[in-house]
Amino acid sequence: MNNYKNQFFFAAAAAITLCFTACNNPADNVNEAEVTSATEESTAPADGKAFVSTADSKIGFEGSKVTGSHEGGFETFTATIVVKDGQLVPNGTSVEIDMDSTWSDSEKLTGHLKNADFFDVPSHPTTTFKTTLIEKADDVYNITGNFNLHGVTKSITFPAEIQVSETEVKVNAEFFIKRFDFNIEYPGKADNLIRDEVVIKLNIVAVPS
């Protein structure tokens, strides 16, 4: 009887541990981007040295639901960065993503992400981000820009680490947005609801164009 009780205890403990891990929200560990109405973009030409993202750059995301999470990203995108006096020039810094290059850790999910329930790639083939302000804040920078996703444009602000040299620019950031802000509202199954929060992971490496 004691052996049976021990087996039951360990099985229950394992189940609780598994549920805790699976049910954890990845967004709990990162900053939330501040989201407001889109702001006016400068039409003035960017003055400075231009850099373009390399194949080492990555843009990823992580979404979650009641039973677990999935990671994904985009295979095809271009980040353009303009630098002057060792600082990024806001109106010269942008990212353009080919949404048909979406990938995830599940082939079935990848197909679902591209359809009308999520990104609706046929209707919204491109996602863009254009910076409007970059401010130093202690050891990081706050980057603000207009983010156009799923046909909705909002201004978002998020913290990032920026390293600039004569031969390379690196921008690293991890934050979360709420997909409902961009009218991506597919709920998931009734017993396995998909969370609103989606973690964005940026690792941009750019060299002179």
Side-chain angles (χ1 to χ4, degrees):
M1 181 64 70
N2 287 337
N3 185 48
Y4 173 79
K5 288 182 178 180
N6 288 339
Q7 289 178 345
F8 177 80
F9 171 79
F10 286 120
I16 292 171
T17 301
L18 178 61
C19 181
F20 177 79
T21 302
C23 298
N24 186 41
N25 187 347
D28 290 342
N29 302 316
V30 298
N31 293 302
E32 178 179 3
E34 179 183 347
V35 179
T36 59
S37 299
T39 58
E40 185 176 355
E41 298 172 13
S42 173
T43 58
D47 179 23
K49 184 177 180 179
F51 291 72
V52 176
S53 55
T54 70
D56 292 328
S57 300
K58 296 180 181 179
I59 299 179
F61 58 80
E62 184 173 6
S64 65
K65 52 187 178 179
V66 172
T67 57
S69 62
H70 287 282
E71 294 204 34
F74 308 100
E75 296 284 358
T76 305
F77 60 88
T78 300
T80 303
I81 299 171
V82 175
V83 175
K84 184 176 182 180
D85 299 328
Q87 301 294 321
L88 272 62
V89 178
N91 68 323
T93 299
S94 63
V95 179
E96 182 172 306
I97 301 172
D98 176 3
M99 295 303 288
D100 195 44
S101 73
T102 300
W103 66 270
S104 77
D105 53 18
S106 163
E107 184 176 349
K108 182 178 179 180
L109 173 61
T110 298
H112 195 186
L113 288 173
K114 292 183 181 183
N115 77 20
D117 286 338
F118 290 97
F119 296 143
D120 193 4
V121 173
S123 299
H124 309 291
T126 304
T127 288
T128 59
F129 176 75
K130 298 180 180 180
T131 57
T132 55
L133 181 66
I134 300 175
E135 296 181 305
K136 185 74 183 292
D138 297 325
D139 295 331
V140 299
Y141 290 81
N142 285 326
I143 298 178
T144 299
N146 289 332
F147 184 43
N148 179 279
L149 170 66
H150 193 239
V152 177
T153 302
K154 296 285 183 73
S155 176
I156 67 172
T157 301
F158 57 88
E161 296 179 352
I162 300 175
Q163 300 176 24
V164 178
S165 71
E166 287 294 320
T167 58
E168 187 178 71
V169 176
K170 291 185 177 180
V171 179
N172 295 305
E174 192 166 347
F175 57 93
F176 76 86
I177 60 173
K178 294 181 177 179
R179 62 190 178 93
F180 287 6
D181 286 336
F182 297 88
N183 294 344
I184 302 175
E185 300 177 352
Y186 180 73
K189 297 180 180 179
D191 60 347
N192 196 13
L193 296 176
I194 300 171
R195 293 190 175 100
D196 187 8
E197 301 88 355
V198 178
V199 176
I200 307 295
K201 304 175 183 181
L202 300 177
N203 300 101
I204 304 297
V205 180
V207 297
S209 60

